[in-house]
Amino acid sequence: MLRVAIDGPGGTGKSTIAKAIADRFGLEYIDTGAMYRSMGLKALRTGISPADEEAVAEMLKDTTLDFRDNHMYLDDEDVSGLIRTNEISMAASDISKLPCVRAKADELSKYLAATRDVVMEGRDITTVVIPDAEVKIFMTAAAEIRAERRYKQLLDAGKEADYDQILDEIQKRDYQDSHRSLNPLRQAEDAEYLDTSDLSQEEVIEAVSSIITARTGREPSK
Ligand code: DC
């Protein structure tokens, strides 16, 4: 069994790295942020405030989530292409404070981690979802560097971007994700700390691969 758990703040490139690692080591990639984003999307669509615990709990009674083949399904609809906006990022962060929302995401995440070899990323994977994972990594980068990367990504995609606004949103979400009372983002004691501020994507993939091999003896299959 090989379960690679990666936590860290938003915008560190966790998902890109996790996908590459899944490919190299023959693991299934699981994006738990997508689960929170889907619940945030459904709340926005149905006009429910992410802060209204009772209404959200009611909404979740007839909500199904699934994550397979890199796609997120909300009530059997593939919402992968709809959940990457700034609005949904903040709604996901807001709604993720609620116990009923965390329980819903944890249930699916724990089931997936118990039934296959995975690389799973989020905010509480090393601390709550798979605390006994074979490999645990806390991946971070300076907020300014993350904002700069995001800014460039948007410009490269031909979109409008405002660096100061991006930095402000990143800092706000960092604060919220690491200060909520239930399962906040924090580094697990036995997680490897990886600061990617000065590393290229390829260097981060190499660093994570080396950690996996050092901790488990398993070599990449590609
Ligand atoms: O990783 P992401 O940016 O897609 O996550 C979106 C939000 O979901 C994040 O701001 C906080 C929440 N989240 C969480 O609370 N726990 C996780 N394991 C993953 C995400």
Side-chain angles (χ1 to χ4, degrees):
M1 190 160 212
L2 175 55
R3 294 154 309 161
V4 178
I6 305 177
D7 283 325
T12 41
K14 293 191 301 286
S15 51
T16 311
I17 303 303
K19 276 181 208 161
I21 292 296
D23 191 44
R24 272 196 178 189
F25 286 85
L27 308 170
E28 199 163 321
Y29 163 66
I30 313 287
D31 170 9
T32 63
M35 301 174 193
Y36 293 91
R37 287 174 180 271
S38 301
M39 290 186 266
L41 170 69
K42 185 158 178 179
L44 289 184
R45 273 179 171 175
T46 45
I48 291 172
S49 159
D52 186 342
E53 187 160 11
E54 226 172 279
V56 172
E58 202 52 41
M59 173 190 96
L60 292 182
K61 278 187 191 159
D62 59 355
T63 297
T64 57
L65 299 179
D66 200 8
F67 188 86
R68 49 179 198 274
D69 303 327
N70 271 339
H71 287 260
M72 183 70 221
Y73 296 87
L74 167 69
D75 299 329
D76 292 326
E77 173 192 357
D78 183 355
V79 292
S80 316
L82 304 174
I83 53 175
R84 298 281 143 210
T85 65
N86 282 345
E87 194 189 13
I88 299 291
S89 298
M90 238 15 243
S93 180
D94 287 341
I95 209 165
S96 72
K97 294 177 194 163
L98 301 181
C100 58
V101 167
R102 303 210 66 80
K104 185 97 180 169
D106 281 357
E107 188 191 11
L108 175 59
S109 307
K110 284 183 176 167
Y111 165 75
L112 293 170
T115 49
R116 65 212 73 200
D117 285 354
V118 293
V119 50
M120 186 176 281
E121 50 102 355
R123 303 290 186 288
D124 62 344
I125 310 308
T126 59
T127 53
V128 176
V129 179
I130 341 174
D132 59 344
E134 286 68 29
V135 180
K136 302 207 255 178
I137 297 172
F138 187 84
M139 193 182 288
T140 190
E144 291 74 13
I145 303 261
R146 287 184 274 140
E148 182 71 33
R149 289 177 187 161
R150 178 87 186 126
Y151 176 69
K152 284 201 183 123
Q153 254 176 14
L154 288 168
L155 291 188
D156 286 349
K159 295 188 179 149
E160 272 183 35
D162 176 338
Y163 173 82
D164 290 330
Q165 191 188 338
I166 295 169
L167 179 60
D168 188 55
E169 279 165 5
I170 283 180
Q171 287 171 330
K172 210 165 143 198
R173 204 148 68 93
D174 279 0
Y175 185 86
Q176 205 162 270
D177 292 348
S178 51
H179 287 81
R180 65 170 178 244
S181 55
L182 189 61
N183 306 340
L185 170 67
R186 65 176 178 85
Q187 186 186 347
E189 259 169 43
D190 54 350
E192 201 87 34
Y193 180 83
L194 185 59
D195 186 337
T196 71
S197 300
D198 300 318
L199 301 180
S200 68
Q201 207 160 284
E202 205 40 53
E203 287 171 327
V204 181
I205 296 168
E206 282 306 324
V208 173
S209 298
S210 300
I211 294 170
I212 295 173
T213 303
R215 289 211 173 188
T216 67
R218 189 139 149 195
E219 301 280 349
S221 52
K222 283 188 188 168

